[in-house]
Amino acid sequence: VHKKQLVAFLTKLFGGQSSYELSDVRAAHYTLNLSDYHFDCLLDIFGAAFKEMGVKPRDMQDAIAVLQPIRADVTTGYTVRMEMARKNVEKGKDQLFKRLGA
């Protein structure tokens, strides 16, 4: 199922015909706790795949540029949870988070 969703998503993102709704990206990823680190790893994987397929560097940059705007939608869940945790620390409500030094 995930592979089909990924193909539909990428098809839509790169301008092809697909039933995938780009507005679903945030909701689909919210509970996955994905950070910028995870998103950067995904971009590295795409870059390596493009290179292996012989895609020209300029075309690789263009493709990565198409993916960048969805970063915030993919990482929102993580960002919101980290902000909530930091606020709890400020209020003295989250001692574990405080002990971890974050």
Side-chain angles (χ1 to χ4, degrees):
V1 173
H2 294 295
K3 187 175 181 180
K4 287 181 182 181
Q5 289 173 325
L6 180 60
V7 169
F9 165 71
L10 291 173
T11 300
K12 182 74 160 200
L13 192 64
F14 285 100
Q17 295 238 335
S18 172
S19 61
Y20 191 92
E21 292 295 327
L22 291 176
S23 60
D24 294 342
V25 173
R26 185 175 296 219
H29 295 87
Y30 190 84
T31 60
L32 299 178
N33 210 31
L34 300 172
S35 68
D36 283 316
Y37 172 79
H38 298 105
F39 194 84
D40 290 338
C41 288
L42 177 68
L43 294 181
D44 288 346
I45 291 167
F46 275 109
F50 292 148
K51 188 174 183 178
E52 187 176 306
M53 293 185 310
V55 175
K56 295 176 186 173
R58 179 67 189 152
D59 293 335
M60 286 172 45
Q61 290 174 346
D62 290 345
I64 297 300
V66 168
L67 293 167
Q68 283 292 356
I70 64 160
R71 176 185 292 270
D73 289 332
V74 171
T75 61
T76 293
Y78 173 82
T79 304
V80 167
R81 281 185 285 288
M82 286 300 293
E83 184 60 27
M84 288 171 57
R86 288 192 196 288
K87 285 181 180 179
N88 282 338
V89 167
E90 289 172 6
K91 294 176 184 176
K93 293 182 179 179
D94 191 342
Q95 297 303 314
L96 176 62
F97 195 74
K98 197 175 198 176
R99 284 191 302 245
L100 292 173

